[in-house]
Amino acid sequence: MAVEDIYTKDGTTDYRNNPANKKKTGTWKACPYILGNECCERLAYYGINTNLVNYLKNQLNQRNVQAVNNVTNWSGTCYVMPLLGAFLADAYLGRYWTIASFSIIYVFGMTLLTLSASVHGLKPLCDDKNACHPTGSQTAVFFIGLYLIALGTGGIKPCVSSFGADQFDDSDEEEKKKKSSFFNWFYFSINIGALIASSVLVWIQTNVGWGWGFGIPAVAMTIAVVSFFSGTRLYRNQRPGGSPLARICQVIVASLRKSRIKVPNDKSLLYETTYEESVVKGSRKLDHTEQLSFFDKAAVETPAARVKGVVSLWRLCTVTQVEELKSIIRLLPIWATGIIFSAVYSQMGTLFVLQGNTMDLHMGKSFEIPSASLSLFDTISVIFWVPVYDRVIVPLARKFTGHKNGFTQLQRMAVGLVISIFAMLAAGTLELVRLGEVRKHNYYEMKHIPMSIFWQVPQYFIIGCAEVFTFIGQLEFFYEQAPDAMRSLCSALSLTTAALGNYLSTFLVNVVTDVSTKHGRPGWIPDNLNYGHLHYFFWLLAALSVLNLGAYLLVARWYTYKIAVLSIH
């Protein structure tokens, strides 16, 4: 299977020598295969993640806090592994082959997970009272499959959105306009997969069985792989630019070696190649910026920087290399403010589900909706808001701001952070009302109190709205502000906010459990939530979100956008 690999010197597909090639590849012609891949992969992922806390509780016999922590730890790992995949994509394999190879690992993980829930001897035995008793080896097989999936996501998550954006040529104004819209529809496709997972799959897992409930996501992941390979001849690919970590280290080492050297006032004296293309494969040259001037020392030419006329890469770096490092450093404060938002978002798969378990699950007289299925309202919210944002809000905002995209990416993320605060306030208020009903009618030992689970809809819908602003804005921001040859790495960096958000949630749950259960008290999050104070935890996240918003507004105000010297043709 041939991949389109005709490149210019800077690593992009060659349009200049073969203009007809541009018409045959890329743009929206290639995107349906990428969006189809993402839709099916997300269906597989959310088919596992959405109801995982109930599987751990009911099939693996884990307690509330242990199950919640296992879910957030696994979710966190799914968002840390992209650092590995991104490094391999940018340095060695390229985005196409990274997605392809890690997808195979993903399918193996899904297959093993399905076997652990359906094959006799691998699935836990349950008694007449539905109490399950898994052996150590059964639990081990399940978690091996689960973490193979986490490894598989590591090569897909950081590359797919960037690979899709690569199909649009930055030097073509018409294509560049379409790229911003691509990120909206990319996120839309994610939520189509999530919608099916949170409705159909959760119902199957709850009412038919976990073998089918995990087997269907495994089939979906296989379809994702087929969809991706089907578009191979239409893709535009960029060559890997070499190890981004090596280039970063070279700038740091060269700067430290010349720490006592003064940077010239005339920045044109700083070292840069005389060629039109950057020394970094697949990257445009970057213009010099004044911030973080210490690293400019790496681009100051000295006699020791050349050995027999050849530049020593650990003693002299180009301005573009220096600006790559500066770009990464400037992204870090914005990146850090995404962690609290991700902690808020992670509650949908854990504490929102446990809260829903305590409420009336009936929809009509006989049908019961699984509590994890309420996340479909988050998905419905996203599916509603994406086209509204793209077709209504952006044109309207453009009239007031004059910005081609309506809002800058930083403004868009700020709106999402504000909205997320109200999601936690809504969840906390509902829990306060629910506990009031428990106390008023002495429902403490009742498994499902007579209060409809659909009172949870507002908190899911609000989070969905916040996602459209923050997560999509973050996707586009990290792609646009990343150096050209570090786009997978920066996409992975943005995803690690989700990882750290999940780990932060685990940490907070452990801390509040340790503190609130002293002296024999039931604590904030006991196994029977009717005795707990779950609303305190939601309000804690709301307070942290307010502080985080203040920090974000400060760092966003001082952010300097990167400037490319010339566009890639």
Side-chain angles (χ1 to χ4, degrees), residues 476-498:
E476 187 176 358
F477 177 76
F478 275 81
Y479 179 85
E480 290 291 340
Q481 294 306 305
D484 294 332
M486 292 186 180
R487 280 176 165 163
S488 295
L489 186 64
C490 287
S491 292
L493 187 64
S494 72
L495 291 169
T496 57
T497 62

Side-chain angles (χ1 to χ4, degrees), residues 58-117:
N58 300 329
Q59 302 299 117
L60 296 188
N61 202 22
Q62 296 185 352
R63 304 188 69 175
N64 273 354
V65 170
Q66 185 184 9
V68 167
N69 286 345
N70 272 326
V71 172
T72 51
N73 286 339
W74 175 71
S75 296
T77 304
C78 287
Y79 286 96
V80 163
M81 293 311 296
L83 289 172
L84 171 63
F87 173 78
L88 292 174
D90 282 341
Y92 303 110
L93 299 178
R95 286 188 261 279
Y96 176 90
W97 288 113
T98 302
I99 295 170
S101 55
F102 277 76
S103 292
I104 304 303
I105 297 172
Y106 203 135
V107 171
F108 277 121
M110 293 296 307
T111 302
L112 187 57
L113 201 70
T114 303
L115 294 175
S116 75

Side-chain angles (χ1 to χ4, degrees), residues 10 130 168 304 338 350 360 399 501 505 543:
D10 55 26
N130 290 325
F168 300 91
T350 54
D360 182 6
K399 293 178 180 179
S505 179

Side-chain angles (χ1 to χ4, degrees), residues 103-286:
S103 292
I104 304 303
I105 297 172
Y106 203 135
V107 171
F108 277 121
M110 293 296 307
T111 302
L112 187 57
L113 201 70
T114 303
L115 294 175
S116 75
S118 55
V119 175
H120 182 72
L122 290 180
K123 68 176 182 179
L125 293 176
C126 303
D127 56 30
D128 295 337
K129 297 180 180 179
N130 290 325
C132 298
H133 308 282
T135 65
S137 59
Q138 289 170 341
T139 302
V141 169
F142 173 81
F143 276 102
I144 289 170
L146 199 63
Y147 278 88
L148 275 176
I149 293 170
L151 176 60
T153 64
I156 299 172
K157 283 179 184 289
C159 296
V160 174
S161 62
S162 297
F163 188 66
D166 287 346
Q167 307 311 308
F168 300 91
D169 181 11
D170 273 344
S171 67
D172 186 319
E173 283 302 318
E174 195 62 33
E175 289 193 18
K176 193 173 182 180
K177 289 178 183 176
K178 294 176 181 176
K179 184 166 67 176
S180 181
S181 186
F182 164 78
F183 285 104
N184 289 329
W185 293 106
F186 176 80
Y187 207 76
F188 184 86
S189 70
I190 289 175
N191 282 274
I192 292 295
L195 177 65
I196 298 170
S198 58
S199 53
V200 177
L201 283 179
V202 169
W203 187 88
I204 289 173
Q205 290 165 352
T206 304
N207 296 282
V208 179
W210 290 98
W212 281 99
F214 288 158
I216 293 172
V219 172
M221 189 58 217
T222 304
I223 295 171
V225 175
V226 172
S227 175
F228 181 74
F229 281 123
S230 297
T232 295
R233 294 184 181 278
L234 296 174
Y235 297 146
R236 296 174 182 172
N237 298 276
Q238 289 192 358
R239 277 180 181 165
S243 172
L245 297 181
R247 294 199 302 276
I248 287 172
C249 291
Q250 285 166 357
V251 175
I252 294 172
V253 170
S255 300
L256 292 173
R257 279 177 164 171
K258 292 181 279 190
S259 60
R260 296 183 182 180
I261 292 177
K262 185 178 179 182
V263 177
N265 293 327
D266 183 359
K267 299 305 184 289
S268 65
L269 298 175
L270 295 175
Y271 176 66
E272 183 57 274
T273 59
T274 56
Y275 306 108
E276 182 179 325
E277 291 86 9
S278 165
V279 71
V280 182
K281 295 176 185 177
S283 179
R284 293 166 288 183
K285 287 183 179 179
L286 295 175

